[in-house]
Amino acid sequence: MWILAVAVTFLLSWLLILPVKKLAWKIGAIDVPRDWRRMHRKPVPRAGGIAMFAALLTGCLLFCRHTPVMMAALEGGLLLMAMGLVDDIFRLPAWLKLLFQLVIAALAVGSLGRFHGVAMLFMVLWVVTLTNAHNFVDGLDGLFGGTSAIEGIALAFLLTAIGLRNAALPPLLVSAACAGFLVHNRPPARIFAGDCGSGCIGFVLGVLALPAFSQPLWQIGSLAPFLIFAYPLADMVTAVLRR
């Protein structure tokens, strides 16, 4: 069943990219290389997140148990994908995006009922940080998709190792959705994830990792998420310091 779920999610993500590319051109979700930071020379659609999230949503609803954690990840991810798409078209101010992320993260973490007080504040900051860290890492062809695919597999192994096997399939489907997108995003990229992709996938991974933090501090499960997501976290810190 898991193999079928991964295959369906991968194929959906891969196939949906084609109509999403056409949609991106129509609605103006295009990355035009206007400054030195852009690695491409021609305009490229940047709404690949629509295909990724649609494939992930379908795979999770069809094949996964509808746990509170998974539903919180999908519901919040859907809202962030919508906000990211608006940003890909109109460029929203940074403070507005951050405020929206904080509200959605607080609602997602609060809906689980597992964390309170300082712990809840930490988890909200964790989810928002991962959301933006994956946005930062989306700078080179194939980098975001490849990184997120590896993180999803690693998170699935972690959840299985700490006895949460039922929570391991959704991260695998994140990897499958990213792999399907990666077919079109490998150099030279024909489409970018955009904020609608990098932000929502980062959010989903952040929420799906929350059960690991329920483990006692002396167990590896509570610290392993920092290792799994070390690259995007370190990249975000260095990018902020550099800028």
Side-chain angles (χ1 to χ4, degrees):
M1 180 65 73
W2 282 33
I3 295 176
L4 177 61
V6 169
V8 168
T9 304
F10 171 83
L11 288 173
L12 275 177
S13 180
W14 175 43
L15 294 173
L16 286 174
I17 288 293
L18 299 177
V20 165
K21 284 173 64 177
K22 296 180 180 179
L23 175 64
W25 283 104
K26 289 182 179 179
I27 63 178
I30 306 298
D31 194 312
V32 180
R34 294 193 178 99
D35 56 53
W36 63 270
R37 291 187 300 148
R38 300 296 192 269
M39 304 299 293
H40 55 289
R41 297 184 178 181
K42 297 180 180 180
V44 177
R46 57 179 175 192
I50 299 176
M52 279 191 292
F53 188 77
L56 174 63
L57 181 65
T58 302
C60 285
L61 293 181
L62 287 179
F63 298 103
C64 299
R65 293 179 60 183
H66 297 179
T67 63
V69 173
M70 189 193 79
M71 296 310 296
L74 293 178
E75 291 167 2
L78 178 61
L79 293 174
L80 284 177
M81 187 204 70
M83 184 201 70
L85 183 60
V86 174
D87 184 50
D88 287 332
I89 300 172
F90 301 107
R91 309 310 297 174
L92 299 174
W95 68 266
L96 181 60
K97 292 191 291 183
L98 180 59
L99 178 61
F100 190 83
Q101 292 168 1
L102 286 168
V103 171
I104 299 304
L107 291 174
V109 175
S111 69
L112 303 180
R114 298 185 181 186
F115 307 101
H116 306 280
V118 176
M120 179 172 176
L121 176 61
F122 174 81
M123 295 308 160
V124 170
L125 293 177
W126 163 261
V127 173
V128 172
T129 300
L130 275 194
T131 300
N132 288 286
H134 285 80
N135 196 335
F136 272 76
V137 85
D138 186 24
L140 294 174
D141 297 352
L143 183 58
F144 160 73
T147 299
S148 299
I150 294 171
E151 291 168 350
I153 294 171
L155 181 58
F157 273 109
L158 169 63
L159 293 172
T160 301
I162 62 177
L164 300 175
R165 187 174 183 275
N166 290 331
L169 182 54
L172 281 182
L173 298 189
V174 172
S175 297
C178 291
F181 162 74
L182 197 56
V183 174
H184 302 270
N185 183 244
R186 67 176 188 269
R190 288 158 284 172
I191 190 170
F192 296 149
D195 282 2
C196 68
S198 57
C200 81
I201 292 297
F203 177 91
V204 169
L205 286 171
V207 174
L208 292 178
L210 291 179
F213 289 109
S214 299
Q215 303 294 305
L217 288 176
W218 53 269
Q219 292 188 3
I220 188 63
S222 62
L223 300 177
F226 293 99
L227 301 178
I228 292 173
F229 299 104
Y231 172 68
L233 291 173
D235 179 76
M236 183 184 70
V237 172
T238 54
V240 170
L241 293 176
R242 184 173 64 248
R243 295 179 185 180

